[in-house]
Every structure is written in C-alpha cells, then in structure tokens.
Amino acid sequence: MTKHKSSRLKWKQTLAILLLLLPLKGIAAESMLVWLAEEQAGVRDFATTSHPLIRGLRTSAPSSLAVLSPLMDLADQQSLSVDALWRGADEAVLSASMRYAADTVVVGRVDAGGTEPFTEWVVWQDGERQLLSTQGDWQVQVDELLASLSASSTSAPSVAADPNAIVAPLSLPGQMTPPGYLVTVYRLNQAGDYLQVMDLFTERLGAQAVIPVSFNAGTLRVSIDYEGAVSALQRDLLRGSQLTELPDGQLEFVWN
C-alpha cells in the first residue's frame, strides 16, 4: 500500500469515528425517581425494586426515560421515613430526592388491602406538582401513570438508556455503624448486584430493619436490626438465596 493510500484510509477511519460520535453529543436520557410505599394488613413499608409497579415502569417506560429507585441506605432512611412519605411530606420527599438529581420525582402510595390494588400518585415535574390515582391491574396502573406524564421528556432526541446504569449503585461513603448485627457481603461486582442483595434483605427482614453502612469495591456492609440469635439470622439470609457463607466468619457471605 502506498503512503498516499495509507493516509487516505486513516482519514476515512477517523471521519467514520467522528460521524459515530457526533450524534450522541449533548443527548442525555431523562430520569424518573420513584418512591413507592405499600400498605398491607395495616402495615406500611417501602416497596422493593421487585414490586410489580416498579418492574412495569422499567419495562414500559420509553427508552429515553431511566426509571430510578432510591437506594434506601442510611442517608435515605434518615431523610425520609415511610410515615412521612405516606402522609405527603413534600419537603422531606424533595429533600431526600436531591442526591439523585432526577428530572421527575414520583411518589406512589399503594393500598393493597382491597379486592384491587389502589395507588395514589404525586408527580413533581418541570416545577409542577400533579396528583392522580390508579386502580386495578398493575400494568394498567403503569400505563395510566406513564400516559399522565408530560410529553416534554420525549421531545428531545431519544437515546437508549443503559440498563446497567439504571441499577448501578451510587458510591456510598462509610458511615458510623448503627446498633445491630453487622452483615458483610463480598463480590458484588456486577451492575445490579447491590440492589438484588438489598431486595433480599428487605424482603426477608423489612426495610426499617436494614441499614446500609458502606459499599466500596464490591463489598457491602449492612447493619440489621434482628430479634433473634445469629444462627437464626444466618438461616433466614441463606434460605433460597445466592449467598454463600464464609467458613471462617460469622455473618460474612459471598454473592454468587
């Protein structure tokens, strides 16, 4: 190949790369932070990311809209209690939401006690507060909520949101360890592992009993308020889960 042809080929390759990069410049996906609480048999608690409404929103939302869930770590639990969310403490909700820098903040309060689930929604978007309610099948409620949102989030050119980025945990600073059992989980190296472990803990023990202490380099430390012996807590966490207990340490696990 002559020098002239080689230079022309390199120029074409460079131009092709620039053409691929230019359409992506300045385009960012919109984000929606969803706080969800549910009342069952008179007990209110934060819903986990496995709740049908959250799963439905992530599946049905347009590709330009990233659906975020709060981490419910120590900072979130100090900023917003489930009682404050349920009674509509707007200032507390917005204050707790600031760390996520979401374009839209949504609060859902689910009453699952009747024959059909009923949800009251509060939506903050573009500086406005909107109220609505949905009832019935989970997917029907998801569709009604998405339909009620302003079309402004889809007016910009669409870019597919990275699903790994949606579930990737924030970098949690070290916190003073609250009273309770300290549980350590290693090898949370894949996007979404953090939320899967937190879902497991909160589903087994309740959101109020689980307080993340730190999450760094794939290692999660959580304080768990548990009425019972260490052996009973170990059994509760290991039962049907992806956790493997380390042989030389109590309440130390590896995520498989």
Side-chain angles (χ1 to χ4, degrees), residues 28 30 64-65 103-104 125-127 148-157:
E30 297 287 316
S64 59
L65 181 62
D103 301 291
T104 302
Q125 191 174 36
D126 298 326
S148 72
L149 298 178
S150 170
S152 62
S153 62
T154 59
S155 60

Side-chain angles (χ1 to χ4, degrees), residues 193-205:
D193 285 350
Y194 172 89
L195 291 181
Q196 289 186 50
V197 173
M198 288 302 298
D199 280 352
L200 169 67
F201 288 171
T202 54
E203 286 173 0
R204 298 280 172 88
L205 307 168

Side-chain angles (χ1 to χ4, degrees), residues 50-66:
S50 61
H51 192 281
L53 282 178
I54 297 178
R55 291 204 312 266
L57 286 170
R58 287 184 171 169
T59 301
S60 302
S63 60
S64 59
L65 181 62

Side-chain angles (χ1 to χ4, degrees), residues 9-221:
L9 178 59
K10 289 181 179 179
W11 166 246
K12 287 183 177 180
Q13 290 173 338
T14 302
L15 180 61
I17 293 173
L18 289 174
L19 290 174
L20 287 172
L21 292 177
L22 283 175
L24 299 179
K25 186 177 180 181
I27 299 176
E30 297 287 316
S31 58
M32 177 174 69
L33 176 66
V34 181
W35 298 89
L36 192 65
E38 187 172 48
E39 182 177 70
Q40 293 190 29
V43 177
R44 297 169 181 169
D45 202 352
F46 288 105
T48 67
T49 55
S50 61
H51 192 281
L53 282 178
I54 297 178
R55 291 204 312 266
L57 286 170
R58 287 184 171 169
T59 301
S60 302
S63 60
S64 59
L65 181 62
V67 179
L68 310 176
S69 295
L71 295 174
M72 294 315 303
D73 59 357
L74 183 59
D76 282 344
Q77 294 190 39
Q78 288 178 335
S79 300
L80 183 64
S81 67
V82 67
D83 291 333
L85 184 145
W86 198 271
R87 69 172 180 268
D90 291 355
E91 290 186 6
V93 172
L94 294 177
S95 177
S97 302
M98 288 181 64
R99 65 188 296 215
Y100 297 96
D103 301 291
T104 302
V105 177
V106 175
V107 168
R109 296 174 293 185
V110 183
D111 183 353
T115 55
E116 290 187 326
F118 174 80
T119 308
E120 293 180 326
W121 301 97
V122 182
V123 179
W124 286 271
Q125 191 174 36
D126 298 326
E128 297 183 356
R129 183 177 186 271
Q130 179 185 0
L131 300 175
L132 66 146
S133 61
T134 58
Q135 187 170 16
D137 179 80
W138 296 120
Q139 188 58 48
V140 171
Q141 296 195 47
V142 165
D143 294 340
E144 289 182 8
L145 173 63
L146 291 175
S148 72
L149 298 178
S150 170
S152 62
S153 62
T154 59
S155 60
S158 175
V159 60
D162 181 359
N164 289 334
I166 295 175
V167 299
L170 299 178
S171 177
L172 303 184
Q175 305 278 0
M176 291 184 62
T177 305
Y181 290 111
L182 182 63
V183 175
T184 303
V185 183
Y186 301 98
R187 298 184 188 172
L188 302 181
N189 299 321
Q190 300 298 318
D193 285 350
Y194 172 89
L195 291 181
Q196 289 186 50
V197 173
M198 288 302 298
D199 280 352
L200 169 67
F201 288 171
T202 54
E203 286 173 0
R204 298 280 172 88
L205 307 168
Q208 301 300 317
V210 181
I211 302 177
V213 176
S214 65
F215 179 60
N216 293 291
T219 298
L220 171 67
R221 290 182 172 84

